[in-house]
Structure formats: C-alpha cells, structure tokens
Amino acid sequence: MEPYIIDGKKISKDIKDELKKKVADYKAKGIEITLAVIQIGDDPASTVYVRNKKKACEYIGINSQSYELPGDTSEEELLELIDKLNNDSAVNGILVQLPVPDYIKPMNVINAISPEKDVDGFSPYSVGCLNLGVKGFLSCTPAGIVELLKRSNIEIDGQHCVIVGRSNIVGKPMASLMLNNNATVTITHSHTKNLKEICKTADILIVGLGQKGFITSEYVKEGAVVIDVGIHRDENNKLSGDVDYDDVAPHCSAITPVPGGVGPMTIAMLMYNCVKSAELTQV
C-alpha cells in the first residue's frame, strides 16, 4: 500500500496565507495585532521555537514583542511582566515559552495569563471551554492535527481514534477535540495493558508518547491513518518521530512524516489563535 503523505508544510502555509489576508483586512481598518513572547534563559530548542514564531508573525503581518529574560529571573518578576502585558491593550496574545526553569511553577505562569490572551490554549479556562465544546482558544498541536485531517479529507466522524500519550499539551486536549468532532476515542498511556492490541483497533492512531520509533507496524491496523506528534534529534541532527516511519508507512492509508507533518501546524495554529485574540480584545 502506498500511503498518502500528509503534508504539514503545505497545509500550514495555506493557513498562514489565509491569516495573512485577514490581518491585512484588520490593518486596513486600523487594527494591529500584537503577540508578546517571553523566553527565560537560552535553551537552544526554545530559542529555535521562539525564532520560528517570530518568523511566522512577520510573514502574516502580526507584530511581535520579544522579552528575552535572563535564566535567573524570579517567578515574581515573570508574573509582574505578565500582569503588565495583561493590562496592555495593545497586546492581544501572550506566550511564555516552556519549559521554564525548575524553580518556577508552570501552572502559576499559565494561570497568570489573562484567558483572553492565552493563545497557547493551556489555561484552565481554555481547557474548560474545550472540554465543554464551547468557543475558546484551542491547544495548538491538537488543533493543528484536526486541521491536517480535515484538509486532507480524512473522515473523523464515527472513526475510532486511539491516542498514545496523556499529556496536558497533546494527549488530553486531543481526546476532547476528537470527541467534539464525533470520533470514538480511546486514550492509552504507560499503564495501559495490551497497548499493541488496542492500537491495532484504531482507524486514526495519534502518537505522542516521547519515545523514538516506538510504534512499529505491529501496532497498526492495515489502512489506518497515523499521526506522529513525536520529535527526536539524533547525533547527526536528523529528525525522527515516535513512529518507525519506514516500517509503518506501507500499512497506512495516510501518515504524517517527521519533519514536515505535525510540527509546522503547531505554529500555524498559534498564529490562528493570535488573530482570534484580536477578535476578543479589539474587534
């Protein structure tokens, strides 16, 4: 079987081009959209993510304010900056690049961001809206996966979706979002028994467990759709995912590659949330 390769680069560019037009329309009405990005310390991976977010802002026409704080910034100083940005009417979205240093509690940071500016979709308010199926900011990676499926004409309604991993950033919100799109959802995790057998029942298998090449063809039903959320870099700087792509791909009807699958969608949906934030705070 020759699988359909889901092209996250192309789909993310389509979304960014749609947003670019929207932002231009806002600018014509005198409305500017601004994203404030806060990074603490100089973790190399975080620096790359922040740079990519700035590039996406520039492409779409969103203003980006960058706050690069030293690695020893206190939680109190960080919360003061967030409070200042919450009260700045020129700022539509606030993003704190995770992970933060160990001495800062991530939930204190997430809770400090105003729900109207929570473009990452991590706050309890945003999560509550998602679980209730009401309008709010969606967590960017799960929202990006749904867009990948819909824009690739892959049916979600009535399909059995198995999610491998139960993180607050991917697994749990992914389950809610697939339920909201009428899938039947099973969440699996490190304590799940018969993982292989459960995965083999999936019409759509979404993998985000953080273990390189863990999912082989033994976990995949013939003709399933496989979405790989994992990202791992080897000593030669080559990227791969949680799915053993070469082994699994011949058994799929559709699959996301790593790189070029889910990754680009996370930033595209962050930009989508930034534009949406303007509707909440200014429009």
Side-chain angles (χ1 to χ4, degrees):
M1 184 190 297
E2 195 67 38
Y4 174 72
I5 312 296
I6 301 172
D7 189 347
K9 281 186 182 171
K10 183 192 177 299
I11 294 170
S12 70
K13 186 174 184 304
D14 290 345
I15 290 169
K16 286 190 281 191
D17 286 341
E18 290 162 16
L19 294 172
K20 193 175 185 177
K21 186 178 179 309
K22 257 192 170 183
V23 170
D25 291 343
Y26 281 142
K27 281 191 175 176
K29 296 174 189 168
I31 296 165
E32 294 281 341
I33 300 174
T34 299
L35 171 67
V37 181
I38 303 169
Q39 181 183 356
I40 301 159
D42 53 2
D43 174 71
S46 290
T47 301
V48 170
Y49 289 134
V50 168
R51 193 187 311 135
N52 288 340
K53 286 164 186 174
K54 285 182 194 167
K55 273 187 194 166
C57 283
E58 197 177 334
Y59 180 78
I60 290 166
I62 292 172
N63 304 321
S64 66
Q65 291 181 6
S66 193
Y67 296 88
E68 285 150 15
L69 307 180
D72 60 355
T73 300
S74 71
E75 184 175 300
E76 190 184 357
E77 287 170 313
L78 175 58
L79 297 182
E80 278 174 12
L81 173 58
I82 291 170
D83 187 55
K84 183 181 146 206
L85 295 170
N86 280 339
N87 292 302
D88 184 346
S89 61
V91 172
N92 304 91
I94 302 169
L95 183 149
V96 178
Q97 183 63 44
L98 300 175
V100 288
D102 292 342
Y103 59 85
I104 295 175
K105 291 180 178 161
M107 277 316 297
N108 288 351
V109 175
I110 290 164
N111 285 331
I113 298 170
S114 165
E116 292 84 17
K117 300 190 180 189
D118 170 38
V119 288
D120 258 333
F122 290 163
S123 76
Y125 179 85
S126 296
V127 173
C129 288
L130 170 59
N131 285 328
L132 292 169
V134 299
K135 281 185 178 179
F137 291 119
L138 299 177
S139 189
C140 298
T141 299
I145 290 167
V146 168
E147 284 297 315
L148 282 180
L149 294 169
K150 287 182 174 177
R151 290 174 184 245
S152 301
N153 297 314
I154 293 167
E155 187 71 42
I156 299 175
D157 197 312
Q159 299 298 293
H160 182 208
C161 172
V162 174
I163 298 164
V164 186
R166 54 175 169 179
S167 72
N168 290 334
I169 290 174
V170 179
K172 290 176 187 173
M174 190 78 250
S176 295
L177 209 43
M178 293 302 277
L179 277 172
N180 292 349
N181 281 278
N182 298 320
T184 299
V185 178
T186 302
I187 304 178
T188 66
H189 45 79
S190 58
H191 290 250
T192 298
K193 294 171 183 172
N194 305 323
L195 178 64
K196 211 174 271 188
E197 289 78 3
I198 293 168
C199 288
K200 283 202 88 140
T201 66
D203 303 307
I204 301 170
L205 181 64
I206 300 174
V207 186
L209 78 166
Q211 290 189 42
K212 182 180 176 181
F214 182 90
I215 297 293
T216 63
S217 57
E218 294 179 340
Y219 289 78
V220 179
K221 178 172 81 173
E222 288 293 322
V225 174
V226 176
I227 306 291
D228 189 352
V229 187
I231 189 151
H232 308 275
R233 198 180 291 273
D234 69 12
E235 61 278 3
N236 301 315
N237 226 22
K238 190 180 178 213
L239 294 175
S240 59
D242 289 349
V243 173
D244 182 338
Y245 184 90
D246 292 338
D247 184 39
V248 168
H251 302 276
C252 300
S253 59
I255 188 168
T256 57
V258 176
V262 173
M265 295 300 294
T266 301
I267 289 181
M269 298 316 291
L270 172 67
M271 296 298 108
Y272 176 88
N273 280 351
C274 287
V275 174
K276 191 173 172 182
S277 72
E279 292 163 15
L280 295 174
T281 57
Q282 283 192 13
V283 180

